Amino acid sequence: MLRVLLWLEGFPIPTYAARSALIASLRAAEEALQEHTAPTPDAAATPGSAARREPVESLAAELAAKRGRNAAPRPIRQPAAERTRSVELLLRTFGLGEPPTATDSEAFAIERLLGVAPGRRHLVNGAGPWLTGSPHDLLTAGRILALPVLVKTMATATDTELEEARPFAHALFRLMPLAARLIGAVHGKDNHAGFGGIACLDEEPAMAPLMVAMTVGMRRSDPEMADNLTAIQASLQHLPDALANVKDLLDMPQAVLDENLAEQPAAVRRQVLRVVEAALEGKLEGARTL
């Protein structure tokens, strides 16, 4: 895992070594999930059978009910049954690679579980909602992004593909969470426009190999996804400079800051002060995963 993180950050790790570590990490995750969802040896294991469903349902219920530091985020309140079913569908689609079988209401519930549902109605700086289209689009992406598929993708990925994917994966793993935290600070809402779930993405090192594999898979399989990755990476490349400017504000005397803000509209003043407060509290710092 450490080798993957160092390679992703641009340290001089040979790409072939990073590739081996990526494959090992993904295979370990796949084996762990299969172990937790395998039916008992003496039970029928035919697809759709109760023996096959029960272990997955049990794991989904356990994960959905978890609270505390190691629990999945809860950006939006959900009934327990809805949350459990949403976790189960994500496990089946992206963990086990099963074809999605969600109803419309279940697909919308998954958006609520992930916290992205506000993206259908909340705006950022006047831009239209970023989440549009069918709620089933997320589950359809399982054909490219399911864990078993990603394992196969990485097994055939070339060093060139990995090197080309690295800046995009870095943007997803490191810069998108920072952007989400900044958006939350500007608007005074942790999950403004549905970005709250992204804000903690870089706190889990195991997400780094997934981001790399997903980037390779998207660039290889779907031109539209590849274009979206390019647009995301381009929009985020100046974020470190913006955060450096925020840190400069912290060194500015309060009287000077007040004078500079005096001629700004009240809404702008409030946003700047919220960002300064978030920076003082360390909310804009990147997670320490190394």
Side-chain angles (χ1 to χ4, degrees):
M1 185 71 69
L2 180 59
R3 186 176 293 174
V4 175
L5 289 166
L6 290 172
W7 173 82
L8 193 59
E9 294 292 340
F11 285 83
I13 304 295
T15 302
Y16 70 83
R19 180 172 173 272
S20 297
L22 282 161
I23 294 173
S25 177
L26 292 172
R27 282 180 174 164
E30 183 182 34
E31 290 170 3
L33 183 57
Q34 289 175 345
E35 181 179 347
H36 280 88
T37 58
T40 57
D42 58 339
T46 55
S49 68
R52 183 63 181 168
R53 291 196 309 269
E54 288 172 1
V56 181
E57 293 170 354
S58 177
L59 179 59
E62 178 184 341
L63 295 175
K66 261 190 175 181
R67 293 185 178 274
R69 187 173 182 178
N70 296 323
R74 295 172 179 261
I76 295 177
R77 296 178 65 88
Q78 274 184 300
E82 179 181 285
R83 180 176 172 84
T84 299
R85 176 59 175 163
S86 297
V87 172
E88 179 191 347
L89 287 169
L90 288 177
L91 281 174
R92 292 188 181 282
T93 304
F94 293 98
L96 301 176
E98 297 179 3
T101 56
T103 65
D104 286 350
S105 62
E106 288 174 334
F108 278 119
I110 290 172
E111 291 184 356
R112 290 191 288 273
L113 172 75
L114 298 175
V116 300
R120 289 192 175 275
R121 56 187 185 276
H122 293 173
L123 310 181
V124 177
N125 294 334
W130 65 269
L131 185 60
T132 58
S134 169
H136 294 276
D137 289 344
L138 172 66
L139 294 177
T140 301
R143 62 185 174 82
I144 299 173
L145 306 180
L147 184 55
V149 178
L150 294 179
V151 171
K152 294 177 181 178
T153 296
M154 292 310 303
T156 59
T158 65
D159 286 357
T160 299
E161 281 184 298
L162 286 176
E163 284 297 333
E164 291 177 348
R166 176 156 55 168
F168 301 101
H170 182 269
L172 294 179
F173 181 63
R174 287 297 193 193
L175 300 183
M176 276 191 66
L178 290 176
R181 290 196 280 269
L182 184 59
I183 289 171
V186 168
H187 294 275
K189 298 177 182 178
D190 289 339
N191 193 38
H192 184 77
F195 292 113
I198 301 171
C200 58
L201 189 67
D202 57 343
E203 295 178 1
E204 178 49 65
M207 292 302 299
L210 283 174
M211 291 297 102
V212 177
M214 288 168 62
T215 300
V216 173
M218 287 187 285
R219 284 171 52 83
R220 177 188 287 185
S221 306
D222 192 318
E224 184 176 353
M225 285 187 175
D227 290 342
N228 289 339
L229 282 173
T230 300
I232 290 172
Q233 196 269 343
S235 67
L236 295 176
Q237 62 180 332
H238 299 299
L239 182 60
D241 294 335
L243 291 176
N245 292 335
V246 172
K247 291 181 179 179
D248 289 341
L249 293 178
L250 301 183
D251 297 327
M252 187 178 294
Q254 187 64 47
V256 176
L257 178 61
D258 291 341
E259 182 180 352
N260 290 338
L261 292 177
E263 297 182 0
Q264 299 296 324
V268 173
R269 292 199 299 272
R270 287 194 297 270
Q271 289 181 342
V272 171
L273 292 176
R274 281 197 293 262
V275 170
V276 170
E277 182 179 358
L280 286 171
E281 295 176 355
K283 293 182 178 179
L284 302 183
E285 296 294 331
R288 297 180 180 179
T289 54
L290 294 181

